[in-house]
Amino acid sequence: MTVEGTVSGLEERVAGRAWTVRLDAADRGGATVRVSCSRPACTPQVLPTAAAGRTAAVAHLATHLRAASGPRPEAYCACRAEECHTHVRDAGPRERAVPSRCGGPVVMAVINDRQGRWWRALECCARCAAAHSSARIVATAPAAAGPVATGPHPAAAVRAGADRPAGAIGPHFSHAPSSAAPATQGVPVPQGVPAPRAPKPRRSRRYGKIAQRIVPHDLHPVALRDELIELGDLFRAYQQRPEPDLAELADLHSRKAKAFRIWAEVSGVTELVLEARRAEQAADAALLQHQQRTGQSPVGEGEVTNRLLPGLTQWEHARTVLAHVAEHTPLPGPEARLMAVMLTLRSALTGTGNLVGQDVRGLPLTDPEELIGRLVDSGWLSIPGTADDLLESRPESPTPITIPSLMPGEDGQGPFDFGRKTRPKLSGWAQRVVGDKKLRKKKTGAATRLLALALAVRTSSDGRLGADGEGIDVADLTSWCAVEPDELEPLVEQLTAADWLVEAAVTDGRLTGRLAERVLQVSCPLP
């Protein structure tokens, strides 16, 4: 074939077809719309609503696609003449684009805008169609039988092949295998024509979603990414279960809490730490419900315990507060310690709170006014007025109190890490223990109330003293109650008389027994 023959074949290439269907407002301020087509023979339609207009526009475009012949292998991109963003990506504002941007077979594609205002069908190469995020391929042309040019215009294709010898092969789309090229009949391929490129294998990218968060495909370590993706699938599968399994749900939440904490460490996102804490709370709540349903915390035959603090996390917070007070009580004696417990729970998070006279008068204190004065003088407590003003304050005008040692530091962190909703729960729990009706009727003192608090947070799930029912060391109890060792047995007798303890005995330096059934609801079992 001569050069003239090659030029003649290239000039036979035709521009790709393109037509657009638009949806516009028919009148200002009205709901009617107009559907128009770029083809001159099509008459505009007026429809009453935008929804009806979109339906008609899609149907009109579908009619054109059915009536038109499929994409032609000899056509070049319809969008070239309009300088679309694909063809000008590698060129200046007024320069011709590099012709090698095109590639793949000729296709018939449909694109539209996100607002549903226009739909466009065009004949273009597969690479240009892929550059449009909304493109949908309707049909694909068969492989061309002869030389195919990829220039922006037939003239450009002529210039690209003018210097080639007779019989040279035109450039091929990169997707086409080498076997699809025309036979060379023994003529070597010029060096200027690149060989077809084999498609690169795509890496396997795993995506997933958990707690409304996308798990990045490049998250490392890979074991963490796989764990998060698996947990997301397991949570979605659990939601489809016909019957709940609280033990399985608690395990899923525990795994989620651990995974989110690791995710927070590797990514530095603070919100993931908060999500991990919520997962821990959800795991505690699910485990507690499972224990109650299966009778793992028995009260009697066929009954379970409904505890005032329903969760392992809140039980641990209660122990944390009591331990903090034991180390930071400003004054000696059980009355000062009991007062410190109640005031700490009132202002645990910010170091500030409100107090009324009844809150203090309800405690077994010998001289509450004198005790408040001593706490103020020590600097541990601060109030705006006098101790007598505090004792006379009523619920409608409480006295603000401040405990400087509990106020957050410069980093915004205080001695406790529980939330605002947990603080009143802990305060109500302690008030329930200290203000127990039978303890008040027996006129028990501050040391006895402190012992009741200590025993409530040191039991097994069935109320036996100690984690496994082995009892509690007497030295720990006397240190907490701020009493001498020989004073503990009378306190135990008072709790037994008030139906707080059952089968209590002090032997070999340990207090054994169990809580009475009526007070199991205020217990905080040890793990």
Side-chain angles (χ1 to χ4, degrees):
M1 182 182 293
T2 64
V3 173
E4 289 77 6
T6 303
V7 171
S8 175
L10 290 171
E11 289 178 344
E12 294 178 357
R13 293 201 69 189
V14 294
R17 295 164 293 175
W19 61 91
T20 304
V21 179
R22 293 188 59 85
L23 183 67
D24 301 294
D27 56 353
R28 181 175 299 178
T32 57
V33 295
R34 179 186 295 108
V35 178
S36 59
C37 181
S38 61
R39 288 195 171 187
C42 296
T43 304
Q45 306 176 54
V46 177
L47 295 128
T49 63
R54 292 189 183 95
T55 302
V58 172
H60 186 87
L61 188 65
T63 302
H64 280 315
L65 291 173
R66 286 193 295 268
S69 59
R72 299 161 295 179
E74 68 275 11
Y76 65 87
C77 290
C79 52
R80 278 190 178 279
E82 303 174 8
E83 296 184 346
C84 72
H85 69 281
T86 304
H87 294 113
V88 301
R89 186 180 300 168
D90 295 336
R94 305 304 299 174
E95 300 175 4
R96 268 189 195 278
V98 178
S100 61
R101 292 301 302 176
C102 285
V106 179
V107 299
M108 185 69 75
V110 176
I111 62 176
N112 65 284
D113 71 334
R114 295 182 178 180
Q115 290 74 29
R117 296 173 299 186
W118 55 263
W119 295 259
R120 190 178 189 214
L122 69 160
E123 215 171 8
C124 63
C125 71
R127 184 175 294 173
C128 290
H132 298 278
S133 60
S134 63
R136 297 293 183 271
I137 305 300
V138 178
T140 304
V148 180
T150 60
H153 191 271
V158 171
R159 289 194 300 272
D163 297 332
R164 295 176 186 164
I169 304 172
H172 299 282
F173 289 146
S174 61
H175 85 288
S178 58
S179 60
T184 62
Q185 299 179 354
V187 179
V189 178
Q191 296 182 357
V193 179
R197 297 178 180 178
K200 295 182 179 180
R202 292 188 176 183
R203 295 181 179 179
S204 175
R205 293 185 173 184
R206 292 195 64 194
Y207 290 89
K209 191 173 184 180
I210 180 172
Q212 304 301 318
R213 297 177 183 273
I214 300 297
V215 180
H217 69 85
D218 55 352
L219 179 63
H220 285 83
V222 177
L224 173 62
R225 182 199 65 184
D226 295 342
E227 171 73 358
L228 290 169
I229 294 175
E230 180 182 357
L231 282 174
D233 296 338
L234 291 176
F235 271 109
R236 285 184 286 274
Y238 181 85
Q239 293 175 351
Q240 304 300 322
R241 291 176 58 96
E243 296 292 336
D245 186 342
L246 295 176
E248 178 183 349
L249 182 61
D251 179 66
L252 289 177
H253 280 298
S254 297
R255 289 174 57 185
K256 176 185 173 183
K258 182 179 179 180
F260 268 69
R261 288 194 179 278
I262 299 175
W263 193 3
E265 292 178 0
V266 299
S267 64
V269 179
T270 307
E271 294 179 358
L272 298 176
V273 178
L274 302 178
E275 189 69 32
R277 292 179 182 175
R278 287 191 288 268
E280 290 177 350
Q281 295 174 355
D284 295 342
L287 181 60
L288 179 63
Q289 293 177 14
H290 172 69
Q291 292 174 345
Q292 292 177 346
R293 291 189 178 187
T294 57
Q296 295 184 15
S297 299
V299 176
E301 187 66 25
E303 300 179 5
V304 294
T305 304
N306 294 319
R307 290 186 170 84
L308 192 62
L309 295 179
L312 299 175
T313 303
Q314 294 185 7
W315 300 343
E316 190 59 35
H317 287 324
R319 282 186 280 269
T320 300
V321 173
L322 298 185
H324 175 84
V325 174
E327 297 176 359
H328 298 86
T329 302
L331 301 175
E335 291 190 358
R337 179 160 298 181
L338 181 61
M339 186 71 171
V341 170
M342 307 310 293
L343 295 183
T344 296
L345 288 171
R346 285 300 180 96
S347 53
L349 297 181
T350 62
T352 60
N354 293 321
L355 202 66
V356 298
Q358 183 59 36
D359 296 332
V360 180
R361 296 184 185 278
L363 300 177
L365 305 176
T366 306
D367 190 346
E369 184 176 358
E370 188 267 343
L371 179 58
I372 294 174
R374 291 172 59 197
L375 292 175
V376 172
D377 293 339
S378 68
W380 185 83
L381 175 66
S382 176
I383 57 177
T386 64
D388 186 64
D389 294 335
L390 188 153
L391 294 174
E392 295 298 329
S393 60
R394 300 181 61 81
E396 57 268 19
S397 58
T399 300
I401 63 172
T402 302
I403 301 178
S405 61
L406 299 181
M407 300 182 72
E410 295 181 357
D411 58 353
Q413 299 294 325
F416 308 113
D417 60 354
F418 47 80
R420 294 183 179 274
K421 294 183 178 180
T422 301
R423 188 209 61 78
K425 292 180 180 179
L426 295 175
S427 181
W429 164 81
Q431 188 66 43
R432 182 75 171 270
V433 174
V434 173
D436 179 72
K437 185 176 180 180
K438 290 192 176 183
L439 292 180
R440 287 188 285 108
K441 283 188 175 181
K442 295 293 183 179
K443 297 182 179 180
T444 55
T448 306
R449 312 289 178 95
L450 287 173
L451 181 58
L453 281 172
L455 298 182
V457 297
R458 290 176 172 86
T459 70
S460 61
S461 59
D462 58 357
R464 292 178 299 158
L465 301 184
D468 299 317
E470 76 282 4
I472 308 172
D473 188 73
V474 170
D476 293 340
L477 295 176
T478 55
S479 175
W480 163 250
C481 298
V483 296
E484 297 297 327
D486 56 352
E487 297 178 322
L488 183 64
E489 287 196 30
L491 301 181
V492 172
E493 294 176 358
Q494 292 180 24
L495 290 180
T496 302
D499 194 22
W500 188 278
L501 278 178
V502 178
E503 301 172 358
V506 178
T507 55
D508 298 329
R510 302 188 71 82
L511 173 62
T512 58
R514 60 182 176 85
L515 297 183
E517 293 181 2
R518 74 173 188 88
V519 297
L520 276 179
Q521 59 184 346
V522 299
S523 63
C524 300
L526 292 164

